Amino acid sequence: MLIFHLGGVQASLFSLLTIIALILAFVMLGSHWIKNHILAFAAESWVIAALSAAIGLSGHYPELVFIAALTALFRGTLLPYLLVRIVNGLGQNREFTPLLQPASSVVLGGFLVLFSYAVAEKLGVRMNLMDSIAVLALTAMFSLKLIGFLMLVLRAEAVSSILGLLVIENGIFLGSQILVPGMPLLLEMVILFDLLIIVSTFGMLIRYLHKEVGSTSSRDLTRLVG
């Protein structure tokens, strides 16, 4: 729930940043190149960091400014740097076996955004959230989660799977910054630390798979050996 009144300029700024974050998710859907996905994720994280800082300054939540700095540092810089190192180590920068081509993925992503808007509008009416920014935040949150799931389903490379998970988490984070901006600082820091552990663990797993199996594509992993 929005717990402070938004002026026209603030609502326009939050809407613009939310829409840019959503567009960057489509950049990931519309490209074969994994480094493009990583750059788009980094840019999306910086946009969400700017959104957090703007909400913190507008709503007098000083902890959100600190969260914005951590978001830019961890999500926007450190995690993309680790992912680029993984991709460089593998020597493979292209998604070769997607179930759908990028153009078809973008179209499917567009339908998911429309579905998310329909759900967000109905949910907004049920919860008496008449603010357009609240409906937009819900739409962006649901859309990013569904686009993240779409990347997990359509893309085979392990790095793309990590990015799918990170996009899902970005969606939850973006929605929470607008709808419940007073989330405890400690909880936000735990989430950021968890993301760092997830990417580091996946990085070690991917390198192990590449060394032992010779591939990091889930299409090639057909047996589970204990």
Side-chain angles (χ1 to χ4, degrees), residues 53-118:
I55 293 173
L57 294 172
S58 302
H60 306 292
Y61 295 101
E63 68 273 15
L64 281 189
V65 178
F66 182 62
I67 289 294
L70 288 179
T71 301
L73 177 64
F74 278 87
R75 293 173 191 260
T77 306
L78 185 56
L79 295 183
Y81 169 72
L82 292 175
L83 290 172
V84 168
R85 281 196 61 181
I86 293 171
V87 171
N88 288 339
L90 297 176
Q92 181 176 346
N93 182 31
R94 197 171 190 274
E95 177 70 48
F96 286 103
T97 56
L99 286 178
L100 283 179
Q101 292 302 310
S104 304
S105 301
V106 170
V107 173
L108 185 54
F111 281 114
L112 291 178
V113 172
L114 292 176
F115 173 75
S116 299
Y117 174 73

Side-chain angles (χ1 to χ4, degrees), residues 160-217:
S160 299
S161 299
I162 299 176
L163 283 164
L165 290 172
L166 293 177
V167 170
I168 291 172
E169 215 288 320
N170 260 3
I172 297 171
F173 189 70
L174 184 149
S176 69
Q177 296 304 294
I178 295 178
L179 298 171
V180 282
M183 276 181 71
L185 177 62
L186 183 60
L187 180 60
E188 303 276 10
M189 292 180 69
V190 167
I191 292 172
L192 289 173
F193 185 71
D194 280 348
L195 287 178
L196 184 60
I197 297 297
I198 288 170
V199 171
S200 301
T201 307
F202 263 85
M204 287 189 286
L205 178 63
I206 289 171
R207 283 175 176 152
Y208 176 79
L209 285 175
H210 189 253
K211 181 180 178 183
E212 298 296 325
V213 183
S215 171
T216 58
S217 171

Side-chain angles (χ1 to χ4, degrees), residues 23-45 75 79-80 83-84 87 92-96 98 100-102 105-106 151-152 154-164 166-167 170:
I23 290 172
L24 287 167
F26 277 88
V27 173
M28 294 183 226
L29 282 180
S31 175
H32 274 301
W33 302 101
I34 296 175
K35 281 188 179 175
N36 288 351
H37 303 169
I38 297 172
L39 289 174
F41 168 75
E44 183 180 83
S45 300
R75 293 173 191 260
L79 295 183
L83 290 172
V84 168
V87 171
Q92 181 176 346
N93 182 31
R94 197 171 190 274
E95 177 70 48
F96 286 103
L100 283 179
Q101 292 302 310
S105 301
V106 170
M151 290 176 66
L152 282 173
L154 298 181
R155 307 285 167 82
E157 290 299 324
V159 176
S160 299
S161 299
I162 299 176
L163 283 164
L166 293 177
V167 170
N170 260 3

